[in-house]
PDB file of all heavy atoms in Angstrom:
ATOM      1  N   PRO A   1     -17.066   9.145   0.474  1.00 87.00           N
ATOM      2  CA  PRO A   1     -18.462   9.146  -0.005  1.00 87.00           C
ATOM      3  C   PRO A   1     -18.685  10.271  -1.067  1.00 87.00           C
ATOM      4  O   PRO A   1     -18.148  11.403  -0.909  1.00 87.00           O
ATOM      5  CB  PRO A   1     -19.278   9.333   1.257  1.00 87.00           C
ATOM      6  CG  PRO A   1     -18.401   8.923   2.394  1.00 87.00           C
ATOM      7  CD  PRO A   1     -17.020   9.294   1.914  1.00 87.00           C
ATOM      8  N   GLU A   2     -19.492   9.925  -2.031  1.00 84.00           N
ATOM      9  CA  GLU A   2     -19.810  10.894  -3.022  1.00 84.00           C
ATOM     10  C   GLU A   2     -21.203  11.512  -2.711  1.00 84.00           C
ATOM     11  O   GLU A   2     -22.225  10.946  -3.028  1.00 84.00           O
ATOM     12  CB  GLU A   2     -19.916  10.298  -4.414  1.00 84.00           C
ATOM     13  CG  GLU A   2     -18.485  10.147  -5.040  1.00 84.00           C
ATOM     14  CD  GLU A   2     -18.656   9.936  -6.558  1.00 84.00           C
ATOM     15  OE1 GLU A   2     -18.856   8.743  -6.951  1.00 84.00           O
ATOM     16  OE2 GLU A   2     -18.471  10.858  -7.368  1.00 84.00           O
ATOM     17  N   GLY A   3     -21.223  12.686  -2.017  1.00 77.00           N
ATOM     18  CA  GLY A   3     -22.425  13.488  -1.864  1.00 77.00           C
ATOM     19  C   GLY A   3     -23.272  13.109  -0.729  1.00 77.00           C
ATOM     20  O   GLY A   3     -24.123  13.864  -0.251  1.00 77.00           O
ATOM     21  N   TRP A   4     -23.072  11.974  -0.046  1.00 77.00           N
ATOM     22  CA  TRP A   4     -23.952  11.589   1.012  1.00 77.00           C
ATOM     23  C   TRP A   4     -23.260  11.733   2.425  1.00 77.00           C
ATOM     24  O   TRP A   4     -23.982  11.667   3.476  1.00 77.00           O
ATOM     25  CB  TRP A   4     -24.516  10.162   0.774  1.00 77.00           C
ATOM     26  CG  TRP A   4     -23.496   9.101   0.623  1.00 77.00           C
ATOM     27  CD1 TRP A   4     -22.847   8.719  -0.510  1.00 77.00           C
ATOM     28  CD2 TRP A   4     -22.957   8.179   1.648  1.00 77.00           C
ATOM     29  NE1 TRP A   4     -21.969   7.728  -0.221  1.00 77.00           N
ATOM     30  CE2 TRP A   4     -22.028   7.433   1.116  1.00 77.00           C
ATOM     31  CE3 TRP A   4     -23.286   8.101   3.054  1.00 77.00           C
ATOM     32  CZ2 TRP A   4     -21.284   6.381   1.782  1.00 77.00           C
ATOM     33  CZ3 TRP A   4     -22.535   7.100   3.765  1.00 77.00           C
ATOM     34  CH2 TRP A   4     -21.596   6.303   3.131  1.00 77.00           C
ATOM     35  N   TYR A   5     -21.988  11.922   2.446  1.00 82.00           N
ATOM     36  CA  TYR A   5     -21.372  12.136   3.744  1.00 82.00           C
ATOM     37  C   TYR A   5     -19.964  12.779   3.462  1.00 82.00           C
ATOM     38  O   TYR A   5     -19.394  12.482   2.405  1.00 82.00           O
ATOM     39  CB  TYR A   5     -21.178  10.772   4.505  1.00 82.00           C
ATOM     40  CG  TYR A   5     -20.494  10.925   5.857  1.00 82.00           C
ATOM     41  CD1 TYR A   5     -21.042  11.700   6.878  1.00 82.00           C
ATOM     42  CD2 TYR A   5     -19.271  10.196   6.161  1.00 82.00           C
ATOM     43  CE1 TYR A   5     -20.442  11.808   8.080  1.00 82.00           C
ATOM     44  CE2 TYR A   5     -18.681  10.410   7.358  1.00 82.00           C
ATOM     45  CZ  TYR A   5     -19.238  11.103   8.337  1.00 82.00           C
ATOM     46  OH  TYR A   5     -18.619  11.329   9.575  1.00 82.00           O
ATOM     47  N   GLU A   6     -19.502  13.579   4.471  1.00 84.00           N
ATOM     48  CA  GLU A   6     -18.327  14.394   4.058  1.00 84.00           C
ATOM     49  C   GLU A   6     -16.894  13.800   4.366  1.00 84.00           C
ATOM     50  O   GLU A   6     -15.956  14.143   3.830  1.00 84.00           O
ATOM     51  CB  GLU A   6     -18.352  15.708   4.762  1.00 84.00           C
ATOM     52  CG  GLU A   6     -18.434  15.505   6.342  1.00 84.00           C
ATOM     53  CD  GLU A   6     -18.612  16.917   7.065  1.00 84.00           C
ATOM     54  OE1 GLU A   6     -18.827  17.943   6.427  1.00 84.00           O
ATOM     55  OE2 GLU A   6     -18.547  16.837   8.264  1.00 84.00           O
ATOM     56  N   ASN A   7     -16.851  12.780   5.315  1.00 87.00           N
ATOM     57  CA  ASN A   7     -15.559  12.182   5.656  1.00 87.00           C
ATOM     58  C   ASN A   7     -15.282  10.887   5.052  1.00 87.00           C
ATOM     59  O   ASN A   7     -16.262  10.098   4.679  1.00 87.00           O
ATOM     60  CB  ASN A   7     -15.519  12.052   7.161  1.00 87.00           C
ATOM     61  CG  ASN A   7     -15.506  13.402   7.907  1.00 87.00           C
ATOM     62  OD1 ASN A   7     -15.011  14.395   7.416  1.00 87.00           O
ATOM     63  ND2 ASN A   7     -16.155  13.458   9.055  1.00 87.00           N
ATOM     64  N   ALA A   8     -14.083  10.516   4.898  1.00 90.00           N
ATOM     65  CA  ALA A   8     -13.726   9.211   4.231  1.00 90.00           C
ATOM     66  C   ALA A   8     -14.036   8.061   5.269  1.00 90.00           C
ATOM     67  O   ALA A   8     -14.005   8.281   6.498  1.00 90.00           O
ATOM     68  CB  ALA A   8     -12.160   9.203   3.911  1.00 90.00           C
ATOM     69  N   LEU A   9     -14.283   6.904   4.636  1.00 90.00           N
ATOM     70  CA  LEU A   9     -14.481   5.712   5.392  1.00 90.00           C
ATOM     71  C   LEU A   9     -13.430   4.665   5.155  1.00 90.00           C
ATOM     72  O   LEU A   9     -12.846   4.565   4.098  1.00 90.00           O
ATOM     73  CB  LEU A   9     -15.848   5.026   4.923  1.00 90.00           C
ATOM     74  CG  LEU A   9     -17.086   5.985   4.965  1.00 90.00           C
ATOM     75  CD1 LEU A   9     -18.228   5.199   4.330  1.00 90.00           C
ATOM     76  CD2 LEU A   9     -17.442   6.338   6.461  1.00 90.00           C
ATOM     77  N   ASN A  10     -13.152   3.852   6.265  1.00 90.00           N
ATOM     78  CA  ASN A  10     -12.204   2.823   6.089  1.00 90.00           C
ATOM     79  C   ASN A  10     -13.006   1.490   5.875  1.00 90.00           C
ATOM     80  O   ASN A  10     -14.017   1.259   6.443  1.00 90.00           O
ATOM     81  CB  ASN A  10     -11.377   2.584   7.420  1.00 90.00           C
ATOM     82  CG  ASN A  10     -10.419   3.714   7.495  1.00 90.00           C
ATOM     83  OD1 ASN A  10      -9.776   4.112   6.591  1.00 90.00           O
ATOM     84  ND2 ASN A  10     -10.170   4.209   8.721  1.00 90.00           N
ATOM     85  N   ALA A  11     -12.397   0.673   4.993  1.00 88.00           N
ATOM     86  CA  ALA A  11     -13.104  -0.638   4.687  1.00 88.00           C
ATOM     87  C   ALA A  11     -12.111  -1.679   4.365  1.00 88.00           C
ATOM     88  O   ALA A  11     -11.059  -1.424   3.833  1.00 88.00           O
ATOM     89  CB  ALA A  11     -14.103  -0.503   3.542  1.00 88.00           C
ATOM     90  N   TYR A  12     -12.463  -2.950   4.760  1.00 86.00           N
ATOM     91  CA  TYR A  12     -11.597  -4.101   4.390  1.00 86.00           C
ATOM     92  C   TYR A  12     -12.438  -4.966   3.341  1.00 86.00           C
ATOM     93  O   TYR A  12     -13.504  -5.283   3.656  1.00 86.00           O
ATOM     94  CB  TYR A  12     -11.276  -4.961   5.579  1.00 86.00           C
ATOM     95  CG  TYR A  12     -10.352  -4.313   6.564  1.00 86.00           C
ATOM     96  CD1 TYR A  12     -10.625  -4.484   7.936  1.00 86.00           C
ATOM     97  CD2 TYR A  12      -9.336  -3.451   6.226  1.00 86.00           C
ATOM     98  CE1 TYR A  12      -9.868  -3.781   8.917  1.00 86.00           C
ATOM     99  CE2 TYR A  12      -8.557  -2.810   7.105  1.00 86.00           C
ATOM    100  CZ  TYR A  12      -8.790  -3.015   8.481  1.00 86.00           C
ATOM    101  OH  TYR A  12      -8.003  -2.350   9.395  1.00 86.00           O
ATOM    102  N   VAL A  13     -11.936  -5.120   2.187  1.00 80.00           N
ATOM    103  CA  VAL A  13     -12.679  -5.808   1.177  1.00 80.00           C
ATOM    104  C   VAL A  13     -11.843  -6.998   0.620  1.00 80.00           C
ATOM    105  O   VAL A  13     -10.569  -6.943   0.625  1.00 80.00           O
ATOM    106  CB  VAL A  13     -13.127  -4.869  -0.013  1.00 80.00           C
ATOM    107  CG1 VAL A  13     -14.046  -3.810   0.544  1.00 80.00           C
ATOM    108  CG2 VAL A  13     -11.896  -4.237  -0.696  1.00 80.00           C
ATOM    109  N   LEU A  14     -12.494  -7.980   0.064  1.00 77.00           N
ATOM    110  CA  LEU A  14     -11.825  -9.099  -0.538  1.00 77.00           C
ATOM    111  C   LEU A  14     -11.844  -8.896  -2.069  1.00 77.00           C
ATOM    112  O   LEU A  14     -12.845  -8.681  -2.745  1.00 77.00           O
ATOM    113  CB  LEU A  14     -12.583 -10.450  -0.278  1.00 77.00           C
ATOM    114  CG  LEU A  14     -12.712 -10.827   1.213  1.00 77.00           C
ATOM    115  CD1 LEU A  14     -13.477 -12.087   1.369  1.00 77.00           C
ATOM    116  CD2 LEU A  14     -11.312 -11.136   1.734  1.00 77.00           C
ATOM    117  N   GLU A  15     -10.574  -8.820  -2.578  1.00 69.00           N
ATOM    118  CA  GLU A  15     -10.403  -8.532  -4.011  1.00 69.00           C
ATOM    119  C   GLU A  15      -9.250  -9.454  -4.495  1.00 69.00           C
ATOM    120  O   GLU A  15      -8.347  -9.787  -3.754  1.00 69.00           O
ATOM    121  CB  GLU A  15     -10.067  -7.048  -4.214  1.00 69.00           C
ATOM    122  CG  GLU A  15     -11.158  -6.023  -3.904  1.00 69.00           C
ATOM    123  CD  GLU A  15     -12.184  -5.912  -4.978  1.00 69.00           C
ATOM    124  OE1 GLU A  15     -11.901  -6.513  -6.032  1.00 69.00           O
ATOM    125  OE2 GLU A  15     -13.254  -5.387  -4.662  1.00 69.00           O
ATOM    126  N   ASP A  16      -9.321  -9.784  -5.792  1.00 68.00           N
ATOM    127  CA  ASP A  16      -8.244 -10.470  -6.356  1.00 68.00           C
ATOM    128  C   ASP A  16      -7.053  -9.600  -6.761  1.00 68.00           C
ATOM    129  O   ASP A  16      -5.893 -10.089  -6.823  1.00 68.00           O
ATOM    130  CB  ASP A  16      -8.695 -11.240  -7.648  1.00 68.00           C
ATOM    131  CG  ASP A  16      -9.642 -12.341  -7.366  1.00 68.00           C
ATOM    132  OD1 ASP A  16      -9.514 -12.997  -6.312  1.00 68.00           O
ATOM    133  OD2 ASP A  16     -10.600 -12.560  -8.143  1.00 68.00           O
ATOM    134  N   ALA A  17      -7.275  -8.309  -6.866  1.00 68.00           N
ATOM    135  CA  ALA A  17      -6.267  -7.346  -7.203  1.00 68.00           C
ATOM    136  C   ALA A  17      -6.657  -6.029  -6.580  1.00 68.00           C
ATOM    137  O   ALA A  17      -7.887  -5.765  -6.244  1.00 68.00           O
ATOM    138  CB  ALA A  17      -6.106  -7.218  -8.755  1.00 68.00           C
ATOM    139  N   LEU A  18      -5.728  -5.140  -6.449  1.00 74.00           N
ATOM    140  CA  LEU A  18      -5.976  -3.835  -5.849  1.00 74.00           C
ATOM    141  C   LEU A  18      -6.999  -3.086  -6.732  1.00 74.00           C
ATOM    142  O   LEU A  18      -6.784  -3.053  -8.012  1.00 74.00           O
ATOM    143  CB  LEU A  18      -4.655  -3.005  -5.754  1.00 74.00           C
ATOM    144  CG  LEU A  18      -3.658  -3.442  -4.743  1.00 74.00           C
ATOM    145  CD1 LEU A  18      -2.385  -2.647  -4.856  1.00 74.00           C
ATOM    146  CD2 LEU A  18      -4.211  -3.307  -3.371  1.00 74.00           C
ATOM    147  N   PRO A  19      -8.014  -2.520  -6.134  1.00 80.00           N
ATOM    148  CA  PRO A  19      -8.989  -1.734  -7.029  1.00 80.00           C
ATOM    149  C   PRO A  19      -8.340  -0.531  -7.497  1.00 80.00           C
ATOM    150  O   PRO A  19      -7.396   0.043  -6.934  1.00 80.00           O
ATOM    151  CB  PRO A  19     -10.060  -1.445  -6.019  1.00 80.00           C
ATOM    152  CG  PRO A  19      -9.485  -1.510  -4.654  1.00 80.00           C
ATOM    153  CD  PRO A  19      -8.437  -2.541  -4.802  1.00 80.00           C
ATOM    154  N   ARG A  20      -8.735  -0.027  -8.715  1.00 83.00           N
ATOM    155  CA  ARG A  20      -8.209   1.217  -9.170  1.00 83.00           C
ATOM    156  C   ARG A  20      -8.699   2.395  -8.360  1.00 83.00           C
ATOM    157  O   ARG A  20      -9.802   2.337  -7.904  1.00 83.00           O
ATOM    158  CB  ARG A  20      -8.678   1.393 -10.630  1.00 83.00           C
ATOM    159  CG  ARG A  20      -8.148   0.319 -11.607  1.00 83.00           C
ATOM    160  CD  ARG A  20      -8.607   0.619 -13.040  1.00 83.00           C
ATOM    161  NE  ARG A  20      -8.114  -0.284 -13.983  1.00 83.00           N
ATOM    162  CZ  ARG A  20      -8.458  -0.336 -15.300  1.00 83.00           C
ATOM    163  NH1 ARG A  20      -9.262   0.638 -15.762  1.00 83.00           N
ATOM    164  NH2 ARG A  20      -7.928  -1.251 -16.074  1.00 83.00           N
ATOM    165  N   LEU A  21      -7.872   3.350  -8.245  1.00 89.00           N
ATOM    166  CA  LEU A  21      -8.238   4.525  -7.518  1.00 89.00           C
ATOM    167  C   LEU A  21      -9.191   5.421  -8.353  1.00 89.00           C
ATOM    168  O   LEU A  21      -9.066   5.431  -9.558  1.00 89.00           O
ATOM    169  CB  LEU A  21      -6.986   5.366  -7.095  1.00 89.00           C
ATOM    170  CG  LEU A  21      -5.923   4.667  -6.304  1.00 89.00           C
ATOM    171  CD1 LEU A  21      -4.874   5.622  -5.892  1.00 89.00           C
ATOM    172  CD2 LEU A  21      -6.536   3.928  -5.122  1.00 89.00           C
ATOM    173  N   GLY A  22     -10.076   6.094  -7.686  1.00 88.00           N
ATOM    174  CA  GLY A  22     -10.997   6.972  -8.435  1.00 88.00           C
ATOM    175  C   GLY A  22     -12.458   6.558  -8.246  1.00 88.00           C
ATOM    176  O   GLY A  22     -12.848   5.786  -7.299  1.00 88.00           O
ATOM    177  N   ARG A  23     -13.332   7.150  -9.064  1.00 87.00           N
ATOM    178  CA  ARG A  23     -14.778   6.970  -9.023  1.00 87.00           C
ATOM    179  C   ARG A  23     -15.208   5.560  -9.655  1.00 87.00           C
ATOM    180  O   ARG A  23     -14.409   4.900 -10.154  1.00 87.00           O
ATOM    181  CB  ARG A  23     -15.466   8.084  -9.670  1.00 87.00           C
ATOM    182  CG  ARG A  23     -15.398   9.474  -9.007  1.00 87.00           C
ATOM    183  CD  ARG A  23     -16.164  10.554  -9.783  1.00 87.00           C
ATOM    184  NE  ARG A  23     -16.327  11.708  -8.856  1.00 87.00           N
ATOM    185  CZ  ARG A  23     -15.362  12.677  -8.725  1.00 87.00           C
ATOM    186  NH1 ARG A  23     -14.177  12.509  -9.380  1.00 87.00           N
ATOM    187  NH2 ARG A  23     -15.610  13.633  -7.894  1.00 87.00           N
ATOM    188  N   GLY A  24     -16.493   5.308  -9.414  1.00 84.00           N
ATOM    189  CA  GLY A  24     -17.074   4.174 -10.135  1.00 84.00           C
ATOM    190  C   GLY A  24     -17.261   3.049  -9.194  1.00 84.00           C
ATOM    191  O   GLY A  24     -17.345   1.895  -9.718  1.00 84.00           O
ATOM    192  N   TYR A  25     -17.298   3.212  -7.879  1.00 86.00           N
ATOM    193  CA  TYR A  25     -17.489   2.109  -6.929  1.00 86.00           C
ATOM    194  C   TYR A  25     -18.748   2.374  -6.169  1.00 86.00           C
ATOM    195  O   TYR A  25     -19.138   3.537  -5.849  1.00 86.00           O
ATOM    196  CB  TYR A  25     -16.342   1.971  -6.066  1.00 86.00           C
ATOM    197  CG  TYR A  25     -15.129   1.374  -6.688  1.00 86.00           C
ATOM    198  CD1 TYR A  25     -14.180   2.239  -7.396  1.00 86.00           C
ATOM    199  CD2 TYR A  25     -14.876   0.039  -6.840  1.00 86.00           C
ATOM    200  CE1 TYR A  25     -13.112   1.706  -8.000  1.00 86.00           C
ATOM    201  CE2 TYR A  25     -13.807  -0.480  -7.397  1.00 86.00           C
ATOM    202  CZ  TYR A  25     -12.923   0.330  -7.975  1.00 86.00           C
ATOM    203  OH  TYR A  25     -11.838  -0.211  -8.684  1.00 86.00           O
ATOM    204  N   LEU A  26     -19.337   1.242  -5.679  1.00 84.00           N
ATOM    205  CA  LEU A  26     -20.558   1.280  -4.744  1.00 84.00           C
ATOM    206  C   LEU A  26     -20.147   0.592  -3.580  1.00 84.00           C
ATOM    207  O   LEU A  26     -19.618  -0.492  -3.539  1.00 84.00           O
ATOM    208  CB  LEU A  26     -21.798   0.627  -5.447  1.00 84.00           C
ATOM    209  CG  LEU A  26     -22.228   1.346  -6.777  1.00 84.00           C
ATOM    210  CD1 LEU A  26     -23.291   0.462  -7.420  1.00 84.00           C
ATOM    211  CD2 LEU A  26     -22.744   2.725  -6.553  1.00 84.00           C
ATOM    212  N   MET A  27     -20.648   1.070  -2.378  1.00 81.00           N
ATOM    213  CA  MET A  27     -20.364   0.491  -1.117  1.00 81.00           C
ATOM    214  C   MET A  27     -21.557   0.382  -0.285  1.00 81.00           C
ATOM    215  O   MET A  27     -22.509   1.188  -0.262  1.00 81.00           O
ATOM    216  CB  MET A  27     -19.246   1.311  -0.383  1.00 81.00           C
ATOM    217  CG  MET A  27     -18.856   0.807   1.002  1.00 81.00           C
ATOM    218  SD  MET A  27     -17.484   1.753   1.816  1.00 81.00           S
ATOM    219  CE  MET A  27     -16.098   1.125   0.715  1.00 81.00           C
ATOM    220  N   SER A  28     -21.614  -0.756   0.543  1.00 77.00           N
ATOM    221  CA  SER A  28     -22.684  -0.877   1.552  1.00 77.00           C
ATOM    222  C   SER A  28     -22.035  -1.610   2.762  1.00 77.00           C
ATOM    223  O   SER A  28     -20.891  -1.995   2.689  1.00 77.00           O
ATOM    224  CB  SER A  28     -23.818  -1.703   1.037  1.00 77.00           C
ATOM    225  OG  SER A  28     -23.360  -3.047   0.714  1.00 77.00           O
ATOM    226  N   PHE A  29     -22.729  -1.668   3.827  1.00 75.00           N
ATOM    227  CA  PHE A  29     -22.225  -2.274   5.065  1.00 75.00           C
ATOM    228  C   PHE A  29     -23.241  -3.319   5.492  1.00 75.00           C
ATOM    229  O   PHE A  29     -24.462  -3.067   5.580  1.00 75.00           O
ATOM    230  CB  PHE A  29     -22.121  -1.207   6.151  1.00 75.00           C
ATOM    231  CG  PHE A  29     -20.805  -0.424   5.978  1.00 75.00           C
ATOM    232  CD1 PHE A  29     -20.822   0.635   5.157  1.00 75.00           C
ATOM    233  CD2 PHE A  29     -19.591  -0.781   6.612  1.00 75.00           C
ATOM    234  CE1 PHE A  29     -19.721   1.426   4.954  1.00 75.00           C
ATOM    235  CE2 PHE A  29     -18.478  -0.035   6.387  1.00 75.00           C
ATOM    236  CZ  PHE A  29     -18.532   1.111   5.629  1.00 75.00           C
ATOM    237  N   GLU A  30     -22.720  -4.558   5.736  1.00 76.00           N
ATOM    238  CA  GLU A  30     -23.542  -5.636   6.182  1.00 76.00           C
ATOM    239  C   GLU A  30     -24.156  -5.595   7.536  1.00 76.00           C
ATOM    240  O   GLU A  30     -25.219  -6.157   7.840  1.00 76.00           O
ATOM    241  CB  GLU A  30     -22.733  -6.936   6.038  1.00 76.00           C
ATOM    242  CG  GLU A  30     -23.537  -8.219   6.078  1.00 76.00           C
ATOM    243  CD  GLU A  30     -22.726  -9.485   5.817  1.00 76.00           C
ATOM    244  OE1 GLU A  30     -21.717  -9.633   6.533  1.00 76.00           O
ATOM    245  OE2 GLU A  30     -22.967 -10.154   4.826  1.00 76.00           O
ATOM    246  N   ARG A  31     -23.494  -4.735   8.408  1.00 77.00           N
ATOM    247  CA  ARG A  31     -23.910  -4.633   9.807  1.00 77.00           C
ATOM    248  C   ARG A  31     -23.550  -3.250  10.266  1.00 77.00           C
ATOM    249  O   ARG A  31     -22.541  -2.723   9.873  1.00 77.00           O
ATOM    250  CB  ARG A  31     -23.303  -5.738  10.717  1.00 77.00           C
ATOM    251  CG  ARG A  31     -23.782  -5.854  12.116  1.00 77.00           C
ATOM    252  CD  ARG A  31     -23.074  -6.941  12.808  1.00 77.00           C
ATOM    253  NE  ARG A  31     -23.202  -8.190  12.127  1.00 77.00           N
ATOM    254  CZ  ARG A  31     -22.405  -9.279  12.362  1.00 77.00           C
ATOM    255  NH1 ARG A  31     -21.401  -9.180  13.197  1.00 77.00           N
ATOM    256  NH2 ARG A  31     -22.609 -10.371  11.716  1.00 77.00           N
ATOM    257  N   ALA A  32     -24.358  -2.728  11.199  1.00 78.00           N
ATOM    258  CA  ALA A  32     -24.005  -1.438  11.790  1.00 78.00           C
ATOM    259  C   ALA A  32     -24.561  -1.407  13.166  1.00 78.00           C
ATOM    260  O   ALA A  32     -25.433  -2.216  13.619  1.00 78.00           O
ATOM    261  CB  ALA A  32     -24.726  -0.257  10.965  1.00 78.00           C
ATOM    262  N   TYR A  33     -24.052  -0.400  13.928  1.00 81.00           N
ATOM    263  CA  TYR A  33     -24.388  -0.294  15.317  1.00 81.00           C
ATOM    264  C   TYR A  33     -24.777   1.179  15.603  1.00 81.00           C
ATOM    265  O   TYR A  33     -24.095   2.138  15.128  1.00 81.00           O
ATOM    266  CB  TYR A  33     -23.246  -0.650  16.257  1.00 81.00           C
ATOM    267  CG  TYR A  33     -22.773  -2.040  16.095  1.00 81.00           C
ATOM    268  CD1 TYR A  33     -21.827  -2.330  15.040  1.00 81.00           C
ATOM    269  CD2 TYR A  33     -23.256  -3.149  16.789  1.00 81.00           C
ATOM    270  CE1 TYR A  33     -21.429  -3.657  14.807  1.00 81.00           C
ATOM    271  CE2 TYR A  33     -22.803  -4.404  16.477  1.00 81.00           C
ATOM    272  CZ  TYR A  33     -21.918  -4.651  15.506  1.00 81.00           C
ATOM    273  OH  TYR A  33     -21.526  -5.948  15.306  1.00 81.00           O
ATOM    274  N   LEU A  34     -25.841   1.419  16.283  1.00 80.00           N
ATOM    275  CA  LEU A  34     -26.334   2.795  16.567  1.00 80.00           C
ATOM    276  C   LEU A  34     -26.212   3.020  18.098  1.00 80.00           C
ATOM    277  O   LEU A  34     -26.693   2.166  18.872  1.00 80.00           O
ATOM    278  CB  LEU A  34     -27.775   2.866  16.219  1.00 80.00           C
ATOM    279  CG  LEU A  34     -28.426   4.297  16.432  1.00 80.00           C
ATOM    280  CD1 LEU A  34     -27.732   5.373  15.688  1.00 80.00           C
ATOM    281  CD2 LEU A  34     -29.875   4.194  16.145  1.00 80.00           C
ATOM    282  N   TYR A  35     -25.456   4.014  18.491  1.00 84.00           N
ATOM    283  CA  TYR A  35     -25.235   4.333  19.885  1.00 84.00           C
ATOM    284  C   TYR A  35     -25.597   5.769  20.193  1.00 84.00           C
ATOM    285  O   TYR A  35     -25.435   6.672  19.329  1.00 84.00           O
ATOM    286  CB  TYR A  35     -23.739   4.104  20.221  1.00 84.00           C
ATOM    287  CG  TYR A  35     -23.362   2.769  20.593  1.00 84.00           C
ATOM    288  CD1 TYR A  35     -23.080   1.791  19.698  1.00 84.00           C
ATOM    289  CD2 TYR A  35     -23.441   2.394  21.946  1.00 84.00           C
ATOM    290  CE1 TYR A  35     -22.746   0.509  20.062  1.00 84.00           C
ATOM    291  CE2 TYR A  35     -23.027   1.109  22.341  1.00 84.00           C
ATOM    292  CZ  TYR A  35     -22.713   0.159  21.374  1.00 84.00           C
ATOM    293  OH  TYR A  35     -22.356  -1.111  21.735  1.00 84.00           O
ATOM    294  N   ARG A  36     -25.940   6.059  21.455  1.00 81.00           N
ATOM    295  CA  ARG A  36     -25.956   7.283  22.000  1.00 81.00           C
ATOM    296  C   ARG A  36     -25.092   7.215  23.357  1.00 81.00           C
ATOM    297  O   ARG A  36     -25.593   6.507  24.303  1.00 81.00           O
ATOM    298  CB  ARG A  36     -27.367   7.817  22.376  1.00 81.00           C
ATOM    299  CG  ARG A  36     -27.362   9.097  23.171  1.00 81.00           C
ATOM    300  CD  ARG A  36     -28.736   9.734  23.313  1.00 81.00           C
ATOM    301  NE  ARG A  36     -29.216  10.151  21.982  1.00 81.00           N
ATOM    302  CZ  ARG A  36     -30.532  10.218  21.673  1.00 81.00           C
ATOM    303  NH1 ARG A  36     -31.460   9.940  22.603  1.00 81.00           N
ATOM    304  NH2 ARG A  36     -30.905  10.607  20.454  1.00 81.00           N
ATOM    305  N   GLY A  37     -24.003   7.726  23.309  1.00 81.00           N
ATOM    306  CA  GLY A  37     -22.992   7.528  24.442  1.00 81.00           C
ATOM    307  C   GLY A  37     -22.693   6.023  24.492  1.00 81.00           C
ATOM    308  O   GLY A  37     -22.214   5.412  23.522  1.00 81.00           O
ATOM    309  N   VAL A  38     -22.901   5.333  25.630  1.00 77.00           N
ATOM    310  CA  VAL A  38     -22.549   3.927  25.770  1.00 77.00           C
ATOM    311  C   VAL A  38     -23.863   3.105  25.625  1.00 77.00           C
ATOM    312  O   VAL A  38     -23.841   1.913  25.846  1.00 77.00           O
ATOM    313  CB  VAL A  38     -21.918   3.548  27.098  1.00 77.00           C
ATOM    314  CG1 VAL A  38     -20.560   4.254  27.155  1.00 77.00           C
ATOM    315  CG2 VAL A  38     -22.781   4.082  28.282  1.00 77.00           C
ATOM    316  N   CYS A  39     -24.942   3.692  25.222  1.00 74.00           N
ATOM    317  CA  CYS A  39     -26.152   3.029  25.067  1.00 74.00           C
ATOM    318  C   CYS A  39     -26.356   2.604  23.625  1.00 74.00           C
ATOM    319  O   CYS A  39     -26.339   3.444  22.721  1.00 74.00           O
ATOM    320  CB  CYS A  39     -27.335   3.914  25.471  1.00 74.00           C
ATOM    321  SG  CYS A  39     -28.957   3.105  25.235  1.00 74.00           S
TER     322      CYS A  39
END
């Protein structure tokens, strides 16, 4: 993440070719889960 979170994220994406390494990409997540412990 650039500026909004400090650790790297893992993602699986559909691409016709390997994306170039470096800047210039935008990411979002279609679904997320919020937990406190097991709740």
